[in-house]
Amino acid sequence: MTLTFHWFLPTNGDSRHVVGGGHGTPVTSAGGDRPPTVGYLSQIARAAEQLGFTGALTPTGAWCEDAWLTTAMVAQHAERLKFLVAFRPGFVSPTLAAQMAATYQRQTGGRLLLNVVTGGESREQRAYGDFLDKDARYARTNEFLHIVRELWRGRTVGLVGDHLRVEAAQLTRLPDPVPEVYFGGSSPAALGVAARHSDVYLTWGEPPSQVAEKIARVRALAEAEGRTLRFGIRLHVINRDTTEEAWAEARRLLAGFDAETVRSVQEGLGRSESEGQRRMLALHGGGRDRLEVHPGLWAGIGLVRGGAGTALVGSHDEVADLIAEYHQLGIEEFVLSGYPHLEAAYWFGEGVLPLLKRRGLWQPPADVPVHQSVEAPFAATSATPAVPAGRT
């Protein structure tokens, strides 16, 4: 099976610098450079669609615009692109969520994918009226997804659970197709729910050895449930015509992180209850040295941004090599992003995707012309400074 690539809609704002935020931390000032208007996000969506990406992830949380509403508006400005909508099960009833998904499928021609986010920060959850602890939240997610999937199968559902209760729930119109469920999380409770209910298990961009270990654990749990999952990974990407240019861009981004912002963000992320966030922090330890945690895998983004904190960095060929390395572990789907998201989509779409097609790892949609050249797609506007080559 060929690889699937998704892009990212920065509903927290965009910039030529890294926009922080997520996991209880505020959006940094760079988020105001390009506000997340429907017009700008639609530009990114159209670019991703034209370049051959399958879908676009939209995050959830207090730090960004609402994913359901935003993608419903942006979907009207794209034709084929799917939307991987992140949502939190504790904030809406399962019957309503199942109905919303069915409506979304009808109104967009089947372009909804669901990214289930249980929530790793109790302080943020309480702001929304959710006072369960982390393990209880995963137990509720388990009940939630059971109800939703039964409703999508056309069944009438009655459940009295520890956290959710429905009586004679049913849908009058079923979703067609049924949305695929994407699910992340690194704690034992998260892995169990993923094994039972997800179609695609998503991990953040850890080094290949750690990703291989996690895939093996989730695969074994899924097999015990009689299920087979696909696996995906969430990464940033910095690819250029040469290795030196790519690392110069990484150094430029790093130079924009002032010490106080890094200290404040790391202090906030250090209080996170998320096991995945803890694993991200462990890659760099809050320091600027030794940020290349695997050849071509750079942990610098995680100094100022919660959640996914690593980037693939290198020439187009080198990034393609790294993608192939993850694919050999069992990764089939890649959810990528870059700064700014509009230009970065072109860098990757015109630089790396053609190489992956030539290697037989990716097949573009029928309506997408594949660029034969991997010359710099945004050389006139990339604003890559003359920074000495080297890695950090």
Side-chain angles (χ1 to χ4, degrees):
M1 181 180 292
T2 60
L3 300 178
T4 298
F5 290 92
H6 306 281
W7 199 239
F8 184 85
L9 291 184
T11 55
N12 57 326
D14 201 6
S15 176
R16 292 185 179 274
H17 303 280
V18 176
V19 179
H23 280 262
T25 61
V27 173
T28 53
S29 60
D33 293 350
R34 298 185 188 179
T37 63
V38 170
Y40 179 62
L41 296 175
S42 297
Q43 278 187 280
I44 297 172
R46 286 194 298 270
E49 181 173 76
Q50 292 162 5
L51 290 164
F53 290 94
T54 295
L57 172 66
T58 309
T60 185
W63 58 291
C64 58
E65 299 287 355
D66 176 74
W68 285 100
L69 291 173
T70 301
T71 59
M73 289 183 276
V74 173
Q76 307 309 305
H77 300 280
E79 297 177 358
R80 174 187 51 78
L81 191 73
K82 297 181 180 181
F83 294 90
L84 182 49
V85 176
F87 81 104
R88 298 186 181 184
F91 296 169
V92 63
S93 83
T95 306
L96 179 57
Q99 182 183 16
M100 290 167 63
T103 298
Y104 201 114
Q105 291 296 65
R106 286 191 295 275
Q107 299 299 337
T108 64
R111 290 189 284 145
L112 174 66
L113 305 169
L114 285 177
N115 180 32
V116 178
V117 180
T118 298
E121 316 305 331
S122 289
R123 182 175 60 176
E124 187 177 22
Q125 295 291 126
R126 289 194 294 268
Y128 285 93
D130 179 14
F131 289 83
L132 295 182
D133 62 25
K134 180 179 176 180
D135 285 345
R137 289 197 294 268
Y138 277 109
R140 179 180 58 196
T141 297
N142 183 62
E143 295 176 3
F144 183 98
L145 290 176
H146 168 75
I147 295 169
V148 167
R149 284 206 176 274
E150 289 293 285
L151 290 170
W152 285 344
R153 294 184 179 102
R155 296 171 182 167
T156 299
V157 183
L159 176 73
V160 178
D162 293 332
H163 304 285
L164 297 174
R165 179 177 180 178
V166 297
E167 182 177 315
Q170 63 181 49
L171 296 181
T172 58
R173 301 181 69 185
L174 302 181
D176 183 21
V178 171
E180 290 194 302
V181 173
Y182 291 65
F183 194 95
S186 298
S187 67
L191 299 186
V193 176
R196 283 187 290 275
H197 297 292
S198 67
D199 297 299
V200 180
Y201 174 77
L202 281 178
T203 181
W204 285 332
E206 298 175 11
S209 61
Q210 295 180 30
V211 170
E213 177 186 3
K214 189 181 292 185
I215 287 176
R217 290 172 60 196
V218 177
R219 181 175 283 138
L221 290 170
E223 288 175 353
E225 297 284 343
R227 305 185 69 242
T228 300
L229 309 184
R230 301 199 310 278
F231 294 90
I233 193 167
R234 171 77 179 96
L235 288 155
H236 304 278
V237 63
I238 304 171
N239 63 286
R240 295 294 186 270
D241 292 343
T242 67
T243 305
E244 293 74 21
E245 289 172 325
W247 283 102
E249 176 64 6
R251 290 166 63 91
R252 183 191 72 82
L253 292 173
L254 183 64
F257 304 167
D258 65 87
E260 176 55 28
T261 297
V262 172
R263 184 204 65 76
S264 176
V265 170
Q266 292 301 298
E267 183 179 278
L269 294 178
R271 295 190 294 267
S272 173
E273 301 169 40
S274 166
E275 175 65 14
Q277 184 63 73
R278 184 196 66 77
R279 292 167 70 105
M280 282 283 101
L281 294 179
L283 294 178
H284 54 69
R288 294 172 183 256
D289 56 339
R290 297 189 298 277
L291 288 174
E292 190 177 13
V293 296
H294 176 81
L297 183 66
W298 185 63
I301 303 292
L303 292 175
V304 295
R305 185 191 191 280
T310 52
L312 304 177
V313 182
S315 67
H316 308 308
D317 273 301
E318 289 169 337
V319 169
D321 288 342
L322 273 168
I323 287 171
E325 183 176 356
Y326 280 110
H327 176 49
Q328 290 175 351
L329 303 178
I331 297 294
E332 297 180 34
E333 303 204 16
F334 291 78
V335 183
L336 304 174
S337 57
Y339 295 96
H341 289 73
L342 180 60
E343 288 91 325
Y346 280 97
W347 277 111
F348 186 84
E350 296 180 350
V352 178
L353 286 182
L355 299 177
L356 295 172
K357 181 179 184 297
R358 294 171 200 168
R359 298 185 189 192
L361 294 177
W362 175 72
Q363 186 62 40
D367 61 338
V368 174
V370 179
H371 298 273
Q372 299 302 310
S373 171
V374 293
E375 295 301 315
F378 261 79
T381 59
S382 63
T384 302
V387 180
R391 303 182 180 187
T392 53

